[in-house]
Amino acid sequence: MSADQIAQKLWGLCNVLRDDGVTYHQYLNELTYILFLKLSEVKDFEKHIPEEYRWRSFVDEDDNNEAFVRYRKFLAEISNSSTSESIKEIYTNASTSLKKPVNFDTLVQAIDKIDWYEEDDRDTMGDIYESLLEKNAGEKKSGAGQYFTPRPLINVMVDLLVPKLGERWNDPAAGTFGFMISANQYLRDKNDNYYKLSEKERKFQEEEAFSGVELVGDAHRLALMNARLHGLESKIYYADTLTEFGKSLKNFDGVLANPPFGTKKGGERPSRDDFTFPTSNKQLNFLQHIYRSLKRDGKARAAVILPDNVLFEDGDGQRIRRDLMDKCDLHTILRLPTGIFYAAGVKTNVLFFTRSTTEIENTKRVWFYDMRTNVPNYGKRTPFTEKAFEDFVKAYTGGISVKNVEADYDGIISDEKRKQIKDERWKSISREEIAKKNDSLDLGLIADESISNGDDLGEPIEIAEEALAELNSITAELNAMIKELK
């Protein structure tokens, strides 16, 4: 059964619980607790759960009241009785929203009947929860984009950065740990599922190679669950990267991230004293954190999703971009299409850069790829898949296709090969030219009249939502600016 089909079935069960006074959001948490029990059986790590609380004991229990009492006892005790640190964290402060034993039994029996066929996918569980959170967002009319990055984009970013065994990778805004799950699977695919590694090497890959930080409690719980289901005991901190805690995150070989959009609450600055240019703009602070957290060995690399305002904002924005281009080789910017995140109208980009061994003048030119101008309106009618990145990957790698990128691409970027790519969407701009434009990176888009063609603009409701989101974003920035000026 596909991830989407499983998600449909799980969401359908939510209707059963309406009479129990359980909200959609509560249901998602409840589902996390119960589903993890089932998957501990499927993934064969039940040994970390006391026998009386294992999945079969609930499925086979004829007395609904007895099963429900035991489930509540399980939630209260598991954090102290499990032999797995990640399982203890998943169930920390867990409690049930259910009131009727019959509804608990309905969930258990229905989940047990689902065919948990393993798809050839790097993060099937991530896809399932992405679908559930999207439905939840639709019900409560609020965005769930803080949790997820489209799976095709995650996989392409991982492929192009080429993780290696023995490296340390981090996501400072981890969501449900999708980037690190994909990086781990990339390495498993290339290294015979880690079978040939020594015990010490395998332990490193499963416990130390990948780490993350997540500020939102529900997302942190999902991240822990997702990592455990993929055979990882990674350290995923429940913390805020932009506080003093973030200073300890350093010397990474690679960073993959999609920091949350927006400003700090009330326009306040981050509570860290190590940022050269502290600002109320969260993305700019995350960007500073990320390039500072990389090893200064000329090999450490990052790919980060950031909104357009980071590319053109004046003041601290200009200074931070200049600092980035000094300390790193900012070699590629991918201008992403609109409409691929839940937040309608948000225009985003991926910045690819490598931390250098010196501190100045390391960016010589920036290559831009325009995936935004005159492209399909991605949505239900035009699914967003890895095929959409085909031409970008060829340009980025200097001629290697999406199909062969994992096999043939070693991560070395050749300007000479890049120059041979003939694609109107692909162009390079020298550091000198960028400096003349006040270090703005809002460049590389095709000047094409077809983008104003009415057929290409999408549905009226989508246009209205995008316009509203744009206005809200501008309003937030202006409020933050006014607070700082006062």
Side-chain angles (χ1 to χ4, degrees):
M1 189 179 292
S2 72
D4 191 56
Q5 288 172 319
I6 292 173
Q8 284 292 112
K9 281 186 174 289
L10 293 174
W11 190 251
L13 294 174
C14 189
N15 296 324
V16 176
L17 305 184
R18 282 180 175 174
D19 292 338
D20 211 356
V22 177
T23 67
Y24 287 103
H25 184 69
Q26 289 171 328
Y27 168 66
L28 202 54
N29 278 328
E30 199 78 55
L31 187 64
T32 302
Y33 305 143
I34 299 174
L35 192 55
F36 191 80
L37 275 176
K38 167 62 180 175
L39 291 172
S40 69
E41 178 187 73
V42 173
K43 296 279 188 175
D44 195 27
F45 57 84
E46 278 192 312
K47 63 184 180 184
H48 297 297
I49 297 172
E51 195 168 343
E52 66 271 25
Y53 299 137
R54 291 177 187 173
W55 181 251
R56 265 319 112 192
S57 72
F58 294 111
V59 175
D60 297 338
E61 178 60 66
D62 295 327
D63 186 336
N64 290 347
N65 289 317
E66 170 61 27
F68 190 50
V69 168
R70 194 168 351 112
Y71 172 63
R72 294 174 69 173
K73 191 176 178 185
F74 159 74
L75 293 179
E77 295 182 355
I78 188 62
S79 284
N80 297 319
S81 58
S82 176
T83 57
S84 164
E85 289 302 317
S86 61
I87 291 176
K88 287 180 181 179
E89 280 194 86
I90 286 168
Y91 287 102
T92 297
N93 299 322
S95 62
T96 180
S97 304
L98 299 173
K99 300 180 181 69
K100 300 175 183 176
V102 66
N103 285 339
F104 171 69
D105 185 64
T106 298
L107 275 177
V108 167
Q109 300 303 330
I111 288 171
D112 192 58
K113 289 181 174 65
I114 292 174
D115 176 19
W116 293 94
Y117 168 69
E118 294 267 355
E119 289 187 314
D120 181 22
D121 187 273
R122 296 185 181 194
D123 188 6
T124 302
M125 283 309 305
D127 282 342
I128 290 169
Y129 273 101
E130 179 174 359
S131 180
L132 289 170
L133 276 172
E134 187 174 11
K135 293 177 189 300
N136 181 53
E139 292 294 337
K140 65 181 186 177
K141 307 302 180 190
S142 63
Q146 66 193 42
Y147 298 136
F148 290 107
T149 307
R151 199 75 50 217
L153 177 55
I154 286 177
N155 290 344
V156 166
M157 288 167 66
V158 169
D159 290 348
L160 294 179
L161 288 198
V162 193
K164 294 179 174 62
L165 292 174
E167 291 185 331
R168 294 173 62 246
W169 286 73
N170 180 260
D171 183 347
T176 56
F177 215 50
F179 277 115
M180 299 297 103
I181 297 291
S182 183
N184 172 60
Q185 192 60 49
Y186 172 93
L187 285 171
R188 284 185 180 275
D189 291 344
K190 275 184 166 287
N191 296 280
D192 197 21
N193 204 31
Y194 297 162
Y195 286 138
K196 295 180 181 178
L197 300 188
S198 67
E199 185 178 345
K200 182 179 179 181
E201 289 170 331
R202 189 180 303 110
K203 183 178 172 66
F204 176 84
Q205 291 305 132
E206 293 175 353
E207 297 180 14
E208 299 178 50
F210 307 105
S211 61
V213 184
E214 178 49 48
L215 175 63
V216 179
D218 291 344
H220 179 253
R221 194 185 302 274
L222 291 174
L224 290 167
M225 176 180 173
N226 210 5
R228 193 68 191 79
L229 292 174
H230 287 83
L232 295 172
E233 285 278 1
S234 302
K235 202 66 189 164
I236 306 173
Y237 299 96
Y238 182 31
D240 184 351
T241 296
L242 300 184
T243 63
E244 285 294 294
F245 169 81
K247 292 164 68 173
S248 65
L249 304 169
K250 54 189 177 182
N251 293 322
F252 294 111
D253 297 286
V255 173
L256 290 151
N258 178 14
F261 301 158
T263 57
K264 291 282 284 183
K265 289 181 181 178
E268 66 189 64
R269 291 172 179 267
S271 55
R272 277 177 68 167
D273 60 9
D274 64 327
F275 284 157
T276 309
F277 309 106
T279 168
S280 61
N281 184 310
K282 281 194 293 190
Q283 301 92 51
L284 287 170
N285 288 324
F286 267 105
L287 179 57
Q288 287 186 89
H289 163 80
I290 288 166
Y291 66 76
R292 292 164 63 97
S293 73
L294 294 170
K295 279 183 182 176
R296 291 174 52 183
D297 63 357
K299 299 176 184 176
R301 58 241 182 247
V304 188
I305 299 170
L306 294 164
D308 273 15
N309 70 75
V310 169
L311 303 187
F312 60 73
E313 191 170 296
D314 289 332
D316 285 330
Q318 181 186 20
R319 287 185 279 272
I320 290 166
R321 288 191 301 274
R322 189 183 302 138
D323 192 45
L324 167 67
M325 288 185 281
D326 271 342
K327 290 181 168 64
C328 303
D329 177 11
L330 174 63
H331 52 77
T332 312
I333 295 179
L334 172 61
R335 310 300 302 265
L336 288 166
T338 56
I340 62 172
F341 292 92
Y342 294 143
V346 176
K347 294 182 174 67
T348 55
N349 315 269
V350 185
L351 275 61
F352 296 85
F353 51 88
T354 303
R355 183 75 150 107
S356 302
T357 56
T358 58
E359 295 285 292
I360 58 168
E361 299 181 355
N362 281 294
T363 298
K364 306 304 179 188
R365 63 176 54 251
V366 182
W367 287 87
F368 292 83
Y369 195 90
D370 179 7
M371 268 186 75
R372 185 179 302 173
T373 306
N374 196 22
V375 296
N377 189 43
Y378 292 106
K380 291 181 180 178
R381 281 185 265 178
T382 310
F384 186 59
T385 66
E386 286 184 41
K387 185 174 174 57
F389 293 98
E390 213 161 55
D391 292 334
F392 165 64
V393 169
K394 282 185 179 179
Y396 185 103
T397 61
I400 297 172
S401 67
V402 169
K403 186 177 179 181
N404 296 319
V405 66
E406 289 189 25
D408 299 340
Y409 176 61
D410 60 5
I412 296 173
I413 297 161
S414 167
D415 260 350
E416 291 308 310
K417 286 185 178 179
R418 286 181 157 199
K419 288 174 183 175
Q420 293 171 20
I421 301 298
K422 304 301 180 187
D423 186 335
E424 66 171 345
R425 298 180 181 278
W426 183 237
K427 67 170 72 171
S428 72
I429 299 177
S430 71
R431 181 68 184 90
E432 290 75 21
E433 290 178 80
I434 292 169
K436 290 175 184 176
K437 299 178 185 296
N438 296 317
D439 292 313
S440 171
L441 293 168
D442 190 17
L443 307 167
L445 294 175
I446 302 167
D448 190 335
E449 292 181 5
S450 64
I451 60 171
S452 62
N453 185 331
D455 295 336
D456 218 25
L457 293 177
E459 300 296 326
I461 183 64
E462 292 173 351
I463 297 170
E465 285 175 344
E466 288 186 10
L468 181 60
E470 200 81 56
L471 288 171
N472 288 338
S473 175
I474 293 169
T475 301
E477 292 291 338
L478 286 173
N479 284 333
M481 191 184 301
I482 289 168
K483 185 176 179 74
E484 286 196 42
L485 289 171
K486 284 182 178 179

